[in-house]
Amino acid sequence: MENTYPDGELLICADCGHEWSPAAPGVSESALVVRDCNGNLLADGDSVVVIKDLKVKGSSIPLKQGTPIRNIRLVEDDAEHIEGNSDKIKGLVLKTCFLRKA
């Protein structure tokens, strides 16, 4: 975040108040955390379910609530989107706020 500042050995986020140590072992700056609408962690290869009907650009077929999206791929440097395929539509890019882990 832009509003972080050092305080002794810790870094502090002025927006949310989170404090962390930049030298903590096992913490990676490049680790992307992707969560579904319920806050569950998503990873490559997971299956998700659409939680509401969605219009799909370039297709006359909407994604209905409950449609499974299998074998998802995380979008590099973007925690709000995933890539995947449904049974009828291939090459989807979906927002994680409309998905829940299956």
Side-chain angles (χ1 to χ4, degrees), residues 17-95:
H18 180 72
E19 299 178 1
W20 70 96
S21 174
V27 176
S28 173
E29 292 271 337
S30 64
L32 184 65
V33 177
V34 179
R35 296 185 183 270
D36 69 357
C37 66
N38 294 326
N40 298 320
L41 288 175
L42 295 175
D44 283 333
D46 284 346
S47 293
V48 294
V49 176
V50 178
I51 61 168
K52 68 179 262 184
D53 291 353
L54 298 174
K55 294 181 182 178
V56 178
K57 289 183 180 179
S59 175
S60 61
I61 304 169
L63 279 178
K64 297 288 188 178
Q65 179 178 355
T67 301
I69 308 294
R70 293 182 180 85
N71 201 15
I72 66 169
R73 293 173 306 281
L74 303 181
V75 177
E76 186 175 324
D77 297 330
D78 189 358
E80 293 185 11
H81 294 91
I82 60 104
E83 296 175 348
N85 299 319
S86 72
D87 292 337
K88 296 181 181 180
I89 305 172
K90 307 296 181 208
L92 293 168
V93 176
L94 299 166
K95 288 189 132 198

